[in-house]
Amino acid sequence: MFEVLVFVYENYWRGDACPEPEQLGRKLSAHGFEADEIHAALQWLDELSVATQGVPLQREADASRVTIGARAMGEAALAPASDSMRIYSAAEQDHLGAECLGFIHFLQAAGVLAGGLREIVIERAMATSGQPVALDELKIILLMVHWSSGIEPDALVLDELCDGREGRTAH
């Protein structure tokens, strides 16, 4: 499924430029992807589209409330306080693994992953098979969440998400 998602990301730079699912399915099939991979990816993308509805985060008149994801349909969520802490369930810890959880924390601590987007990333990661999710797969999920929401990641974040660790020199 992740190969399909990478293909979609590379060929449709913006989420709103992506064709309808039926047409996209035909294009993916023509490029040689297996039917089960295409089906899983299209379903995942459809659920991503629903999850990112209303993103980017829209502050309401009451600054303590923010609309995120599928909650845009009238139900507002409280914006996380600056001193709040995200507690991961046992299922999330098992499925995401320490490396992915550490990477999510790194992005959030660096101020490049807002709480609302973090929740969408976690929800989409939980919707994947395989346990634990590999860090490279989480990076694809992060790219796709940004892609679907229309938010362009910071250049340094994009570099971190797109480049592998091979050949990097630690300072």
Side-chain angles (χ1 to χ4, degrees), residues 109-151:
V112 296
L113 183 63
L117 286 178
R118 177 200 63 219
E119 293 306 311
I120 295 170
V121 168
I122 292 168
E123 186 272 329
R124 292 289 71 218
M126 293 298 290
T128 63
S129 60
Q131 199 161 322
V133 173
L135 183 58
D136 288 341
E137 294 170 345
L138 179 72
K139 289 180 178 183
I140 293 167
I141 292 168
L142 281 155
L143 282 172
M144 294 308 293
V145 168
H146 280 89
W147 174 84
S148 180
S149 64
I151 299 171

Side-chain angles (χ1 to χ4, degrees), residues 34-142:
E34 298 291 326
D36 57 336
E37 286 182 308
I38 294 170
H39 176 73
L42 291 178
Q43 182 176 356
W44 192 91
L45 285 169
D46 183 51
E47 293 168 359
L48 173 63
S49 177
V50 170
T52 57
Q53 227 173 8
V55 173
L57 301 179
Q58 301 290 324
R59 291 236 175 248
E60 297 178 0
D62 174 4
S64 68
R65 299 175 76 75
V66 66
T67 304
I68 61 171
R71 295 186 175 127
M73 303 211 160
E75 178 187 337
L78 293 177
S82 61
D83 61 345
S84 65
M85 179 187 300
R86 171 63 155 87
I87 306 296
Y88 295 92
S89 71
E92 290 171 335
Q93 290 176 33
D94 290 342
H95 193 74
L96 294 172
E99 189 174 30
C100 288
L101 291 174
F103 189 69
I104 291 170
H105 178 74
F106 162 73
L107 293 175
Q108 193 171 358
V112 296
L113 183 63
L117 286 178
R118 177 200 63 219
E119 293 306 311
I120 295 170
V121 168
I122 292 168
E123 186 272 329
R124 292 289 71 218
M126 293 298 290
T128 63
S129 60
Q131 199 161 322
V133 173
L135 183 58
D136 288 341
E137 294 170 345
L138 179 72
K139 289 180 178 183
I140 293 167
I141 292 168
L142 281 155

